[in-house]
Amino acid sequence: MLTKSQLGGRKVGKNTNTGRIAGFLLMLGLGCAGPAFPQASPNANAPRVDPAQAAAARAFEALDLAERRAIQRDLIWAAKFTGAATGEFGPLTFAAVKRFEAELKRPQDGILAPEERRLLTEFANIGRKALDFVIETDPASKMRIGVPREILKKRSTGPAGLSRWQDVADLVTLDLGLGKPEDTLENLFERGTSASVVGRKITYKLLRPDFFVISGETQTGRFYRRLEKGPDGSLRGFAIGFDKRLSPEFDHLVIAIASTFEAMPGAPIASFALAPGSSAPNTAATRPIAPEAKRVSAVEIAPGKFITAASAAICRSLTLGSAPVTIEKRGDALLLLAITREGGKPLALAANPGSEAILLQRDRNGALQTANALLSGGLAEAPLQSGGVGAALLDRAGRLVGLVVEEPRLVTQVAGVVPASRYRYADAKALADFAGLTPAPAATPRAMSAVAAEAGRSVVSLACGE
């Protein structure tokens, strides 16, 4: 974070194009973001929110949504905030505000006084102006996105007929894109993450009902792609590709760019904390901060019989809505539960699990979440969210291949999404031995969306009384 005098008094002694771009970003403090500060605390054993953070959250969330998001976008530039500019308050925002207050040598209470708010914008604008970072509108699609024009000096029309921005040496490319009428979010996601592309490594992938994010690398470059599905069903997004030699300096700038993207300007702003299909929060009201209630996922394996992780046994009580839950069997890693409910559909057990799976879990709001998972050495690599212990791992035929038995970790969101981590899981053999399940015959693979639509009825979210 730099003052105007510091910005004017520093020089970058590099002459190459990669050095020029990296030097710009280092000069502005947009390099490595330092320690990871989680925006949410999904682990039930984590320390509860302290009074200072609760007070800061009340002050922050009394502001309207547009102002809250503007503050977070400024924090990206002025205080190395690495969360999503959704307007939701958490430890990432709290820590970033305190870092900024420390820079000002002001009391670090996490509450921006009017003068601090003014200085935050001033400091952020130093970086934005130095990179000529402005919001550009695509003439054809009307999509809007922030562009560092000091770096991306060339604007042209890309293959999709929409705006493209590049640097003079073509080391960085930012493209806007639209889906075709026959495209679906799921099909484009599967195509974008296919392992059949030689030389491409997917480092992160996340699919939600209304958007997906994919990031990865090739031998020489890195890329980030986001695609959103609008209320009218149209697919709109952007992709950034850049020379690997620019990392990690350019990674933080990607966060700044992503925080400004508007697929459909004027449409309601979605929050990552909202369940798909739910309405936006009342931004005018002050929302008190309370410790997050613990939830666990469970999977129906026979009528009225559910299986989940053994860690759920620490709950004083388990409930599914108003229905009580009875523990019928305890194991080292698993619990067998009895729950009376209607409309369920037990999942069959897979006979020959592969190395890839579909993760199905219920988040803290009870919404079904879907993502890809890689299975190796007793660990599942997946973006597990709060409430995800007990999540189901399915094959492409919708059969159960495993169950996550480890609590979600405290992780920092990257450009608004939870990155993948590796979690212990109980495999198909362990499930069969514990619950007496018999593997089902082979079945025809289906698209992820079809599997999730059917198997989602078998995955439930249990409230944990503590």
Side-chain angles (χ1 to χ4, degrees):
M1 192 159 50
L2 303 174
T3 64
K4 292 180 180 178
S5 61
Q6 287 172 317
L7 185 63
R10 295 183 65 175
K11 296 182 179 180
V12 180
K14 297 182 180 180
N15 296 319
T16 64
N17 287 301
T18 53
R20 184 184 67 82
I21 295 173
F24 250 124
L25 300 176
L26 283 171
M27 180 178 69
L28 295 169
L30 287 175
C32 294
F37 296 94
Q39 183 75 5
S41 299
N43 192 324
N45 296 319
R48 295 188 183 278
V49 176
D50 64 59
Q53 182 176 324
R58 286 192 291 270
F60 182 82
E61 296 187 345
L63 304 170
D64 63 51
L65 181 60
E67 172 64 4
R68 299 201 310 263
R69 296 185 79 236
I71 289 173
Q72 289 174 324
R73 284 194 292 265
D74 285 347
L75 288 171
I76 290 172
W77 290 90
K80 294 182 179 178
F81 175 63
T82 58
T86 61
E88 297 296 319
F89 191 91
L92 273 179
T93 303
F94 185 53
V97 173
K98 293 206 303 180
R99 283 197 297 275
F100 181 70
E101 291 173 327
E103 186 77 12
L104 297 177
K105 295 181 170 53
R106 303 283 181 89
Q108 297 174 45
D109 58 6
I111 300 175
L112 287 172
E115 175 65 8
E116 293 171 343
R117 175 69 185 100
R118 182 187 67 79
L119 289 172
L120 175 64
T121 297
E122 182 178 313
F123 273 61
N125 282 340
I126 292 173
R128 282 190 279 251
K129 289 178 181 178
L131 293 181
D132 195 16
F133 190 89
V134 298
I135 305 299
E136 297 274 19
T137 300
D138 177 66
S141 68
K142 306 305 178 186
M143 286 187 282
R144 292 161 54 85
I145 195 166
V147 179
R149 296 191 301 192
E150 180 61 36
I151 295 175
L152 305 183
K153 294 178 178 292
K154 300 192 303 181
R155 182 170 183 172
S156 61
T157 300
L162 304 180
S163 296
R164 160 178 282 185
W165 295 268
Q166 293 175 295
D167 68 301
V168 293
D170 294 345
L171 297 174
V172 183
T173 298
L174 168 60
D175 275 315
L176 296 179
L178 292 172
K180 299 176 182 177
E182 64 271 21
D183 289 333
T184 67
L185 202 63
E186 294 79 11
N187 289 343
L188 291 179
F189 178 80
E190 294 192 14
R191 191 185 310 165
T193 58
S194 171
S196 64
V197 178
V198 178
R200 183 180 69 182
K201 177 184 178 183
I202 302 299
T203 57
Y204 179 75
K205 54 185 179 180
L206 178 70
L207 175 65
R208 291 288 181 263
D210 55 349
F211 76 94
F212 72 62
V213 170
I214 302 170
S215 64
E217 57 186 47
T218 62
Q219 185 175 356
T220 60
R222 300 188 65 179
F223 59 88
Y224 176 95
R225 184 185 181 194
R226 180 179 178 92
L227 192 66
E228 299 183 13
K229 181 165 67 175
D232 60 355
S234 65
L235 302 179
R236 296 164 165 249
F238 69 94
I240 305 173
F242 58 96
D243 192 294
K244 192 179 293 185
R245 290 172 294 176
L246 298 178
S247 296
E249 290 81 17
F250 202 83
D251 294 334
H252 198 82
L253 189 54
V254 171
I255 296 175
I257 293 171
S259 73
T260 65
F261 177 64
E262 294 181 74
M264 302 189 72
I269 299 169
S271 166
F272 289 97
L274 295 177
S278 61
S279 59
N282 179 1
T283 58
T286 298
R287 290 172 289 177
I289 298 299
E292 181 182 314
K294 177 179 171 60
R295 301 191 74 88
V296 299
S297 294
V299 181
E300 189 169 18
I301 55 172
K305 306 297 181 183
F306 292 75
I307 195 166
T308 190
S311 61
I314 68 171
C315 300
R316 179 173 47 83
S317 63
L318 288 168
T319 54
L320 177 60
S322 60
V325 177
T326 302
I327 298 177
E328 290 200 344
K329 183 179 179 180
R330 301 170 184 259
D332 293 335
L334 299 167
L335 290 180
L336 185 63
L337 311 173
I339 311 174
T340 301
R341 72 156 186 169
E342 297 181 356
K345 183 178 181 181
L347 291 180
L349 190 68
N352 298 301
S355 60
E356 295 189 14
I358 298 171
L359 174 81
L360 284 188
Q361 73 157 92
R362 297 285 176 179
D363 66 11
R364 63 187 181 186
N365 299 310
L368 185 69
Q369 304 292 341
T370 309
N372 282 297
L374 296 176
L375 311 180
S376 176
L379 298 174
E381 184 176 346
L384 199 65
Q385 297 193 42
S386 175
V389 64
L393 295 165
L394 310 176
D395 64 13
R396 285 302 176 111
R399 298 169 304 179
L400 191 63
V401 301
L403 187 131
V404 177
V405 296
E406 190 174 354
E407 294 280 352
R409 295 190 180 89
L410 299 178
V411 295
T412 301
Q413 291 187 349
V414 177
V417 294
V418 178
S421 295
R422 303 182 77 193
Y423 297 94
R424 290 181 292 108
Y425 76 98
D427 62 16
K429 183 179 184 306
L431 296 176
D433 292 343
F434 177 77
L437 301 177
T438 301
T444 303
R446 292 173 289 165
M448 177 188 290
S449 57
V451 171
E454 182 174 343
R457 292 182 291 168
S458 306
V459 179
V460 299
S461 179
L462 306 178
C464 170
E466 298 181 295

